[in-house]
Amino acid sequence: MSWIQSENEGDKERGKEEMKASGISADSMKLRDELTGALIGLAKSCGMHQKLPMTTGILIEGLFATVNNTSDDGLRNIIRRVREEKRKVAPNCSTCLSVCGNTSDVDMKEIWNEDPDVRSLQSTILLGVKGLAANASLARALGYEDEKVNHFFYKALCMISYDLTMEQLLPVALELGEVNLICMELLDNK
C-alpha cells in the first residue's frame, strides 16, 4: 500500500515510516502505484474486450511485482508490458477521441484519498489480491491454474476502482478468502 500520494498528513507520516522500515524508496513506491493503476486499467479493458492468452499471466506477474523485490527498471518494464497488452486487448481505445475511461489507468491517489473506511476495505482487497497473485504465480509455475482464481483478479481490480460503498465492497473481500483457498488447494496438488 502506498500512502505517499495521500493528501492526509497523518497518512504521509505513516507512509514515510513504512518506507524507512521496508527500505523502499519514494520513487519505487510511485512506480508500484503506477503499475497497480495500469493493472487496474488492463483489468477494466477486459470487461469491454476479449482478454488475450497472455493477459492473465501479465496481470498476475504485475501484481506479484508490486510486492516482491522488483527493481525500478523491472517495474518500468512491467508497466510497459501491461500497457502494450492493454493496447492489444483494446486496440482502438488508445486513439479514441471520446475517452470513456473504461480502459484508463487508475490514478491511485483516487483510492488513497478515498473515505478512510472505504479505503481500508479497498486496500485490504488490493493487498489480498497481490498475495493471491504470489500464490497463483507459483501454482502457474507448477502447471496449475483455476479459471475462478484467474477471473477473480479481473473482478477485484475492477471493483476497487469503482465508486462503491463498504457494503458493496465487503462481498468482494469475503470472496477473496474463498478464492485464496482455491488457489492454496492448487498448490497442495504439487
Side-chain angles (χ1 to χ4, degrees):
M1 176 182 330
S2 171
W3 299 106
I4 196 162
Q5 295 183 354
S6 176
E7 293 177 8
N8 181 304
E9 289 304 316
D11 289 342
K12 285 183 180 181
E13 289 306 313
R14 271 194 304 280
K16 288 176 187 175
E17 293 302 315
E18 289 174 11
M19 283 190 307
K20 285 180 191 174
S22 69
I24 297 175
S25 71
D27 288 341
S28 284
M29 292 298 285
K30 287 179 182 178
L31 284 170
R32 282 166 169 62
D33 275 356
E34 183 179 350
L35 175 54
T36 302
L39 290 164
I40 293 170
L42 175 59
K44 290 184 345 182
S45 71
C46 292
M48 303 295 291
H49 305 276
Q50 183 69 32
K51 66 182 176 183
L52 302 174
M54 299 294 292
T55 307
T56 301
I58 291 170
L59 198 69
I60 291 170
E61 179 187 353
L63 285 166
F64 186 39
T66 65
V67 293
N68 69 13
N69 249 352
T70 304
S71 69
D72 288 358
D73 286 340
L75 291 169
R76 286 184 197 94
N77 182 48
I78 296 170
I79 292 167
R80 181 188 52 75
R81 289 179 45 225
V82 167
R83 290 182 175 148
E84 284 175 4
E85 186 71 9
K86 186 169 63 169
R87 279 190 289 278
K88 291 176 188 174
V89 168
N92 296 327
C93 289
S94 63
T95 59
C96 182
L97 298 177
S98 298
V99 179
C100 65
N102 288 333
T103 63
S104 300
D105 290 358
V106 168
D107 181 348
M108 295 305 289
K109 287 180 187 177
E110 294 173 18
I111 291 175
W112 304 141
N113 291 320
E114 184 64 69
D115 168 79
D117 292 331
V118 172
R119 178 183 64 215
S120 177
L121 199 47
Q122 289 171 317
S123 296
T124 298
I125 294 167
L126 183 57
L127 290 172
V129 168
K130 290 177 178 186
L132 179 63
N135 291 331
S137 180
L138 178 56
R140 288 170 66 91
L142 296 170
Y144 300 110
E145 281 189 78
D146 184 279
E147 192 52 42
K148 185 172 182 176
V149 172
N150 290 344
H151 173 75
F152 186 75
F153 287 110
Y154 296 91
K155 177 181 179 178
L157 290 174
C158 288
M159 295 296 281
I160 64 171
S161 74
Y162 301 145
D163 187 21
L164 300 176
T165 65
M166 285 183 56
E167 291 76 20
Q168 293 168 311
L169 287 169
L170 187 58
V172 180
L174 296 174
E175 186 179 353
L176 171 63
E178 295 169 12
V179 172
N180 201 24
L181 286 175
I182 294 169
C183 192
M184 295 303 289
E185 288 172 1
L186 292 174
L187 293 173
D188 286 341
N189 287 330
K190 62 178 180 144

